[in-house]
């Protein structure tokens, strides 16, 4: 049994090694070892470790010494909240969510239609703008002119993650202050697990755009249902229906058709494309863990905005610590000062991300997860079309058919899940609403 984790690490290293060697050989193209993605990832993780390891020892110490019963002083409430939390796992969440859903059902059809249009428009505008800006920031130069030629590119994906998280933290914090929330019960340190995986998934998402096209990234994100199911079995011991496995296979087939038919002529080499695929796999794995860990945290009856605040709090702590240790924080600020266009794009990117998260919570609260999934699936299709139109990505006929297979499978999942929920409602007249 102890050999299993080590063998897994060796296999992962062997898979990543060809991409790393090729990146190192292309050092003249990328600008040196500091521009090799695995080296940057190593520095980031090293920065997170300088916060995580002392935190681990502090939490272990407080638990070992039974600080909850013996502790005193001004720091006691803070330590209790961070390490032990509130033992009570009941709150106002079920009542609030049920009342909200009942209010939405009792309103007029015209009012509901207006709310649905508002939610759909908010989600589409927020995330389509976010996707266009994401591709612009990571794949295009700033400061280029016809006289001087090419400008300089922004390379630090972690700074963009920090920008997104600091604004999301501010928005969620204000929301928690202004609107009534359930009594918080989870130990704060438990958010750090989801926060770390969320940071790494976001970093991979930005970094992958240096090696692959945006449509490829969108399709890979659409196919993350497969690792989510795997993580669900491993982390939460969930079981799945046959139609879930069927749609997962269809998604895999569609994504494979698109990837195998895509041209790699715009990339420096086939190996850089392979690097992009490796980074995408990292994104999908980390993102799958994040969603499953957050699902486990909801047992404390917290609201989605409280979850947003807790995860973004640790995300800001990790990213700003790592950026300061690397000296990249002030370099990124200097880049913003040199290029006002980049500063505008970075701020707008963060605003779209924060607003998009609020629209997600509001849409799910008003109309449920099925309607939300349909809107976001359409958003992914629009994002691919918009990216191809703005940035000239070519899609072959086979690749287009693969895209169609993926979105057909996603809509089949939505349909099957809604049918299952209707059947469950007939069987249980008074169900408990889960958020």
């Amino acid at each position: 049994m102890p050999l299993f984790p080590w063998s897994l690490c060796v296999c992962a290293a062997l898979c990543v090694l060809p991409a790393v060697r090729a990146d190192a050989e292309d050092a003249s193209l990328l600008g040196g070892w500091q521009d090799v993605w695995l080296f940057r990832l190593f520095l980031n993780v090293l920065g997170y470790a300088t916060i995580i390891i002392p935190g681990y020892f502090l939490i272990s110490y407080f638990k070992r010494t039974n600080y909850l019963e013996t502790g005193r002083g001004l720091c006691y409430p803070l330590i209790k909240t961070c390490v032990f939390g509130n033992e009570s796992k009941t709150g106002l969440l079920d009542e609030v969510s049920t009342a909200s859903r009942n209010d939405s059902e009792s309103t007029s059809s015209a009012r509901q239609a207006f709310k649905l249009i508002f939610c759909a428009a908010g989600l589409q505008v927020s995330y389509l703008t976010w996707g266009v800006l994401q591709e612009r920031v990571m794949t295009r130069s700033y400061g280029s002119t016809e006289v001087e030629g090419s400008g300089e590119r922004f390379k630090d994906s972690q700074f963009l993650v920090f920008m997104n998280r600091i604004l999301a933290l501010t928005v969620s914090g204000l929301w928690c202050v202004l609107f009534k929330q359930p009594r918080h019960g989870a130990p704060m340190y438990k958010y750090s697990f989801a926060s770390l995986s969320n940071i790494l998934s976001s970093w991979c998402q930005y970094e992958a755009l240096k090696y692959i096209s945006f449509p490829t990234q969108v399709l890979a994100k659409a196919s993350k249902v497969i690792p989510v199911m795997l993580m669900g079995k491993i982390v939460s011991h969930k079981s799945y229906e046959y139609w879930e496995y069927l749609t997962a296979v269809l998604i895999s087939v569609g994504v494979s058709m698109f990837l195998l038919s895509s041209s790699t002529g715009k990339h420096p080499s086939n190996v850089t494309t392979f690097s992009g695929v490796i980074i995408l796999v990292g994104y999908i794995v980390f993102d799958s863990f994040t969603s499953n860990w957050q699902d486990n945290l909801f047992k404390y009856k917290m609201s989605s905005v409280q979850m947003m605040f807790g995860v973004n709090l640790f995300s800001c702590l990790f990213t700003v610590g790592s950026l300061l240790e690397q000296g990249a924080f002030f370099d990124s600020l200097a880049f913003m000062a040199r290029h006002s266009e980049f500063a505008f794009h970075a701020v707008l990117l963060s605003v779209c991300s924060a607003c998009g998260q609020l629209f997600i919570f509001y849409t799910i609260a008003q109309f449920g997860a099925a309607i939300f999934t349909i809107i976001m699936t359409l958003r992914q299709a629009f994002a691919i079309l918009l990216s191809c139109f703005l940035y000239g990505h070519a899609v072959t006929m086979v690749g287009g058919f693969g895209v169609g297979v993926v979105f057909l499978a996603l809509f089949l999942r939505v349909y099957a899940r809604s049918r299952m929920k209707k059947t469950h409602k007939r069987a249980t007249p008074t169900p408990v609403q889960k958020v």
Side-chain angles (χ1 to χ4, degrees):
M1 285 297 292
L3 292 177
F4 176 71
W6 288 106
S7 61
L8 195 62
C9 292
V10 171
C11 291
L14 290 175
C15 290
V16 173
L17 186 59
V20 177
R21 283 187 58 192
D23 284 347
E25 290 170 2
D26 279 342
S28 59
L29 174 67
L30 297 175
W33 267 101
Q34 289 186 350
D35 290 325
V36 177
W37 66 269
L38 192 62
F39 183 71
R40 290 194 301 273
L41 179 61
F42 172 75
L43 289 180
N44 293 346
V45 173
L46 198 62
Y48 306 149
T50 60
I51 300 173
I52 293 172
I53 293 175
Y56 169 78
F57 284 115
L58 279 174
I59 291 170
S60 299
Y61 169 77
F62 288 128
K63 287 186 174 182
R64 189 173 62 252
T65 57
N66 199 16
Y67 183 85
L68 191 61
E69 295 181 2
T70 60
R72 295 289 185 275
L74 294 175
C75 294
Y76 177 79
L78 178 64
I79 295 172
K80 180 177 181 292
T81 302
C82 293
V83 179
F84 302 98
N86 184 1
E87 292 300 324
S88 174
K89 295 184 181 180
T90 59
L92 302 173
L93 184 63
D94 290 337
E95 292 139 6
V96 170
S97 61
T98 304
S100 175
R101 188 65 57 81
N102 289 337
D103 289 342
S104 67
E105 290 174 355
S106 62
T107 54
S108 65
S109 299
R111 186 178 177 84
Q112 282 294 92
F114 176 78
K115 282 185 178 180
L116 181 58
I117 293 172
F118 173 72
C119 291
L123 287 168
Q124 298 292 348
V125 170
S126 297
Y127 282 106
L128 286 176
T129 306
W130 178 77
V132 170
L133 287 173
Q134 184 186 32
E135 187 169 10
R136 168 65 181 89
V137 169
M138 298 307 300
T139 64
R140 299 295 189 272
S141 299
Y142 287 93
S144 59
T145 60
E146 294 181 1
V147 178
E148 298 178 359
S150 61
E152 57 177 333
R153 289 192 178 186
F154 185 74
K155 299 178 180 179
D156 198 334
S157 302
Q158 186 176 212
F159 182 77
L160 293 176
V161 176
F162 167 73
M163 287 286 292
N164 289 349
R165 298 303 178 266
I166 191 67
L167 187 60
L169 176 68
T170 305
V171 171
S172 58
L174 289 174
W175 190 280
C176 288
V177 170
L178 296 175
F179 299 97
K180 189 175 183 180
Q181 301 294 321
R183 184 183 180 187
H184 188 268
M188 289 298 294
Y189 81 90
K190 289 194 174 183
Y191 290 108
S192 63
F193 297 94
S195 176
L196 183 61
S197 60
N198 181 253
I199 292 171
L200 292 172
S201 68
S202 298
W203 182 89
C204 290
Q205 185 177 5
Y206 283 113
E207 197 72 13
L209 285 176
K210 298 178 182 179
Y211 304 95
I212 60 171
S213 67
F214 183 76
T216 303
Q217 187 194 75
V218 172
L219 272 190
K221 291 165 69 175
S223 66
K224 71 181 182 181
V225 62
I226 303 166
V228 165
M229 290 171 64
L230 293 175
M231 282 289 181
K233 274 190 167 296
I234 296 171
V235 177
S236 306
H237 305 289
K238 293 181 178 178
S239 58
Y240 298 96
E241 302 291 336
Y242 72 91
W243 54 266
E244 293 181 284
Y245 291 106
L246 174 63
T247 53
V249 171
L250 285 175
I251 290 172
S252 301
V253 171
V255 171
S256 299
M257 290 173 65
F258 178 82
L259 293 177
L260 293 175
S261 66
S262 297
S263 171
T264 58
K266 292 188 177 182
H267 297 287
S269 67
N270 288 336
V271 183
T272 55
T273 303
F274 179 68
S275 297
V277 171
I278 293 295
I279 297 172
L280 268 184
V281 170
Y283 159 75
I284 293 172
V285 170
F286 289 129
D287 193 65
S288 302
F289 176 84
T290 302
S291 59
N292 279 282
W293 187 268
Q294 287 177 324
D295 190 48
N296 282 335
L297 276 180
F298 274 118
K299 68 185 180 182
Y300 289 97
K301 304 296 182 183
M302 68 186 68
S303 70
S304 298
V305 180
Q306 287 174 322
M307 174 73 75
M308 180 178 171
F309 178 83
V311 172
N312 284 305
L313 176 65
F314 280 95
S315 296
C316 290
L317 178 65
F318 289 148
T319 51
V320 75
S322 179
L323 286 167
L324 288 173
E325 288 170 10
Q326 297 178 39
F329 184 78
F330 296 105
D331 290 342
S332 299
L333 291 180
F335 190 94
M336 293 181 73
R338 289 195 303 271
H339 304 288
S340 57
E341 186 184 8
F342 167 75
F344 173 72
H345 287 165
V347 172
L348 186 57
L349 194 71
S350 303
V351 170
C352 290
S353 177
C355 291
Q357 289 186 57
L358 292 178
F359 272 112
I360 287 174
F361 302 146
Y362 183 74
T363 304
I364 293 176
Q366 292 294 321
F367 301 101
I371 298 296
F372 165 74
T373 305
I374 292 173
I375 295 172
M376 294 304 283
T377 302
L378 290 173
R379 191 271 302 179
Q380 290 174 326
F382 292 150
I384 291 177
L385 294 175
L386 190 60
S387 178
C388 291
F389 174 74
L390 292 176
Y391 299 108
H393 300 298
V395 179
T396 64
M397 185 176 294
V398 176
F401 184 73
V403 173
V405 170
V406 170
F407 287 107
L408 174 64
L410 292 175
F411 280 115
L412 284 175
R413 287 182 67 86
V414 175
Y415 174 75
R417 186 173 284 118
S418 63
R419 289 292 299 271
M420 290 284 291
K421 285 185 177 180
K422 287 180 181 178
T423 305
H424 179 68
K425 283 183 179 179
R426 292 193 193 103
T428 54
T430 56
V432 176
Q433 181 65 42
K434 180 182 178 181
V435 176

